């Protein structure tokens, strides 16, 4: 089996490397010459644990190649995957399909023999039909099928998600296309992964419905957390109490500063637009988007409140900037709302992130950048944890107390226990969990 993967962004690169690990011959294509040159030198354009090793071993085994030459990659392929970006269109929230349609046109020109054209990028319902139309127009003679095969990869654990998925969804009614897709995913059949064959439209919708549902789940627990704060209940226990019900499930019930990243914000918006256009509005998703946007902005207020109601002239140490750990991705990260709001309120912000600093420096201004967590906290009036990186989970609390001017910690990811933090002498604020007063002698420090 030979495939071409168009686009070496997050989805394309991970999917291409993983397919080659499955034994498929993969050519990854990108029109960014410098990116391809870097990949040929073994440099990864993104941070994803395990990706560099996977790419290196498959390049060595000659199953994985990189090129800017789309035409020759497509000519040799049994299947061509479209994995280019689909950003939110400025202004209206619709997914921007410019890159997808441009890829479809170029692919059409090079089609050679029966080929399956697969959309891996998250695309609105009906995009598969449009791609089919474009290819047909450009090459009326071509023998092809257009298939939807959405990705469900989480950044930071994308390789595992690809290799051991909960399910694979394949949208096509063509038996020839189904057979090729079956062969590509043969390794997953062997480990009994559920593979769902359905119509193209259903598959496209399934991807949006999955992400929207998860966004609803996170937003639900975030609102429960706010209620917990008001009535003195513990959201951690509520999440466990409801999550053990198999109908609800324990995952995606961690209260926090609001969801971010490259998918949930964009996909929820696109789903809302699709639903509105179809005359069947998704009011629950509309509300979730609104709540989540407000939440990110409100988080700065929490930090300010924990600092006694004002941060004017105070220094706040911010630990973690990416939208979640194990990624360098800053897209729609809550830190992009929180840091400027703190600065606007008069705070000096010092910040550190284990992987996201390069990205963050391009998106945030006026921040004093630090090289370690401890350097960030040195001389600060309070520390706020925005991302739950492992290295922030086991800070030396005595050292933290020595470095901070006052032992104030705002933990927006609930990685510490309120009672233990109080015992350690911290004024500790988290999300949806009762706080305890620090021990008297410590509080006097
Ligand atoms: C998501 C989907 O999980 C994946 O299936 C899809 O293909 C792409 O979008 P990703 O954006 O990488 O993946 O991150 P994910 O781990 O899902 O987290 C998204 C956001 O939700 C993060 O900001 C995270 O901090 C937040 N989140 C997640 C919570 O606040 N609470 C949770 O319980 C889970």
């Amino acid at each position: 089996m030979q495939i071409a993967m168009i686009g070496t962004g997050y989805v394309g690169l991970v999917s291409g490397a993983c397919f080659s690990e499955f034994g498929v011959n993969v050519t990854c294509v990108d029109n960014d010459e410098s990116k391809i040159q870097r990949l040929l030198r073994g440099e990864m354009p993104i941070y994803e644990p395990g990706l560099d090793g996977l790419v290196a071993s498959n390049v060595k085994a000659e199953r994985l190649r990189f090129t800017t030459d789309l035409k020759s990659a497509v000519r040799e392929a049994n299947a061509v995957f479209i994995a280019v970006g689909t950003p939110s269109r400025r202004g209206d929230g619709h997914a921007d399909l410019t890159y997808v349609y441009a890829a479809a046109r170029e692919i059409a020109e090079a089609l050679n023999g029966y080929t399956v054209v697969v959309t891996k990028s998250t695309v609105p319902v009906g995009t598969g039909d449009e791609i089919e139309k474009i290819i047909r127009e450009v090459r009326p003679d071509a023998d092809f099928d257009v298939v939807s095969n959405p990705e469900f990869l989480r950044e930071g654990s994308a390789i595992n998600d690809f290799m051991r998925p909960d399910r694979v969804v394949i949208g096509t009614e063509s038996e020839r296309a189904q057979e090729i897709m079956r062969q590509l995913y043969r390794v997953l059949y062997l480990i009994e992964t559920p593979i769902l064959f359905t119509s193209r439209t259903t598959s496209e919708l399934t991807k949006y419905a999955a992400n929207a549902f998860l966004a609803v789940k996170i937003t639900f627990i975030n609102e429960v957390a706010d209620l917990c704060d008001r009535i003195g209940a513990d959201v951690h226990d509520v999440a466990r109490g409801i999550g053990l019900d198999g109908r609800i499930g324990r995952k995606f019930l961690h209260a926090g500063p609001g969801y971010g990243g490259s998918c949930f914000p964009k996909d929820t918006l696109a789903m809302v637009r699709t639903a509105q256009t179809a005359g069947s509005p998704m009011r629950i998703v509309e509300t979730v988007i609104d709540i989540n946007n407000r939440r990110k902005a409100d988080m700065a207020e929490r930090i300010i409140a924990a600092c006694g109601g004002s941060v004017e002239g105070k220094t706040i140490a911010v630990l973690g900037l990416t939208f979640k750990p194990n990624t360098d991705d800053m897209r729609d990260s809550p830190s992009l709302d929180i840091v400027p709001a703190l600065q606007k309120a008069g705070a000096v912000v010092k910040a550190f992130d284990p992987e996201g600093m390069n990205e963050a420096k391009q998106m945030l201004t006026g921040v004093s950048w630090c090289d370690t967590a401890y350097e960030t906290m040195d001389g600060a009036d309070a520390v706020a944890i925005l991302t739950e990186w492992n290295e922030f989970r086991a800070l030396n609390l005595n050292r933290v107390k020595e470095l901070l001017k006052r032992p104030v910690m705002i933990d927006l990811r609930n990685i510490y226990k309120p009672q233990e933090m109080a015992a350690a002498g911290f004024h500790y604020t988290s999300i949806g969990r009762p706080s305890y007063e620090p021990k008297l002698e410590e509080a006097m420090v």
Side-chain angles (χ1 to χ4, degrees), residues 76-97:
E76 290 161 14
N78 305 95
V80 181
F81 284 75
I82 301 180
V84 297
T86 54
S88 282
R89 207 159 61 189
R90 213 179 276 247
D92 64 5
H94 279 284
D96 182 349
L97 298 173

Side-chain angles (χ1 to χ4, degrees), residues 135-340:
I135 299 180
R136 185 69 59 222
E137 270 164 26
V138 178
R139 281 284 303 281
D141 62 310
D143 189 13
F144 69 99
D145 279 303
V146 177
V147 173
S148 156
N149 173 216
E151 54 84 17
F152 298 101
L153 310 176
R154 283 165 305 168
E155 293 189 16
S157 51
I159 292 170
N160 190 57
D161 287 351
F162 194 99
M163 303 280 198
R164 277 169 284 276
D166 290 338
R167 80 317 204 172
V168 174
V169 177
I170 296 172
T172 177
E173 274 144 16
S174 148
E175 276 176 25
R176 271 202 296 178
Q178 285 180 4
E179 186 46 38
I180 290 201
M181 296 306 284
R182 241 182 237 117
Q183 285 184 43
L184 290 175
Y185 283 110
R186 204 179 60 87
V187 174
L188 297 186
Y189 274 98
L190 301 177
I191 57 169
E192 294 180 7
T193 307
I195 304 208
L196 173 71
F197 284 98
T198 183
S199 75
R200 198 161 62 200
T201 305
T202 308
S203 168
E204 289 170 344
L205 182 61
T206 304
K207 167 66 198 222
Y208 280 116
N211 275 358
F213 187 83
L214 293 171
V216 171
K217 203 171 174 189
I218 295 167
T219 306
F220 178 81
I221 204 67
N222 282 343
E223 287 209 305
V224 171
D226 291 351
L227 179 57
C228 287
D229 276 331
R230 289 295 169 105
I231 63 174
D234 185 330
V235 71
H236 187 84
D237 290 346
V238 176
R240 202 170 143 72
I242 63 174
L244 285 167
D245 184 328
R247 291 169 301 178
I248 297 174
R250 290 170 65 176
K251 293 182 182 161
F252 276 69
L253 285 179
H254 300 289
Y259 61 79
S262 63
C263 291
F264 289 169
K266 169 173 79 67
D267 293 351
T268 44
L269 213 53
M271 184 170 200
V272 159
R273 294 290 175 258
T274 300
Q276 282 167 353
T277 309
S280 179
M282 295 280 304
R283 285 196 297 275
I284 193 165
V285 185
E286 289 172 18
T287 306
V288 159
I289 293 171
D290 186 40
I291 296 171
N292 194 64
N293 287 341
R294 280 169 207 254
R295 182 172 194 81
K296 290 197 276 184
D298 286 349
M299 285 296 124
E301 291 303 321
R302 288 198 185 223
I303 297 173
I304 294 168
C307 292
S310 167
V311 289
E312 180 75 52
K314 290 185 180 156
T315 301
I316 310 295
V318 168
L319 299 185
L321 297 161
T322 50
F323 80 99
K324 67 176 208 175
N326 295 326
T327 176
D328 58 356
D329 201 334
M330 286 289 297
R331 281 177 283 180
D332 277 303
S333 177
S335 68
L336 296 174
D337 288 294
I338 298 170
V339 170

